[in-house]
Amino acid sequence: MDEATRIEEIEVIALTPAFAPVAAALHQTGFDDFWDENAICDLLNVPGAFGLLAFAPGSGQHQGSACAEDIPLGFVLVQVVLDEAEINTIVVGPAARRCGVGNILMENVVSHLQKHGVGRLLLEVACDNAAAMALYQKLGFAEIGRRRGYYRRNGGPAIDALVMERV
């Protein structure tokens, strides 16, 4: 299946607390220090926060929501304060990586923020995550700082985070 076909099969909906178990399971596939359902719900309940969930539609009926046959692919959590926002986390499940899911999630975030007059978007990314850095650069992000030893890895050295900005 080529990338264009895969992209057509990806849908994005609001990440609500009802999807916290799905989001927690996805987060565990991407991070050593992953967030559980409670942490995801807590972040969604912060004023200005929103999340988006990407999924591949199953055979069920859709009307702007997911159904039991859908395959969760990834999600993003964002925090907005006044006219700027920060990506709290973004993760794509292992089977869906390099299929356009991260790009679709980020494009939806940028579109949402533009509609609400938010001009600045920040994020942090592990400096050894070449695929994510390439995606962010493609979307207009530039490095503006570095946090030394920010990411702790199980059984490995701490990894620096690059702070990136899109204006």
Side-chain angles (χ1 to χ4, degrees):
M1 186 179 295
D2 62 58
E3 186 173 315
T5 303
R6 289 182 181 146
I7 290 173
E8 288 176 24
E9 296 177 4
I10 299 169
E11 294 190 26
V12 177
I13 59 172
L15 176 64
T16 65
F19 294 116
V22 170
L26 281 166
H27 206 261
Q28 187 172 1
T29 70
F31 296 93
D32 289 341
D33 188 17
F34 57 88
W35 298 343
D36 64 14
E37 296 173 35
N38 291 331
I40 290 168
C41 286
D42 288 348
L43 286 168
L44 285 170
N45 287 324
V46 171
F50 71 94
L52 300 173
L53 175 67
F55 65 94
S59 58
Q61 295 292 331
H62 288 271
Q63 294 180 340
S65 63
C67 68
E69 294 85 22
D70 295 336
I71 301 166
L73 303 173
F75 77 95
V76 60
L77 282 172
V78 183
Q79 173 75 38
V80 179
V81 177
L82 299 175
D83 63 345
E84 73 177 40
E86 182 174 356
I87 301 291
N88 287 329
T89 193
I90 181 170
V91 64
V92 174
R97 291 181 186 149
R98 299 193 184 269
C99 296
V101 176
N103 189 65
I104 287 172
L105 284 167
M106 290 299 294
E107 286 178 348
N108 275 266
V109 166
V110 169
S111 176
H112 176 87
L113 295 174
Q114 287 173 339
K115 287 177 190 172
H116 291 89
V118 178
R120 183 178 190 218
L121 179 57
L122 299 162
L123 59 81
E124 292 155 347
V125 60
C127 67
D128 63 350
N129 190 342
M133 289 188 306
L135 170 64
Y136 302 143
Q137 288 168 348
K138 178 182 127 186
L139 293 170
F141 284 84
E143 181 181 341
I144 61 167
R146 180 179 290 255
R147 296 179 194 264
R148 303 264 178 225
Y150 186 77
Y151 291 105
R152 303 286 175 201
R153 300 279 168 84
N154 291 339
I159 303 296
D160 290 355
L162 301 181
V163 179
M164 300 184 82
E165 172 186 48
R166 181 179 192 274
V167 180

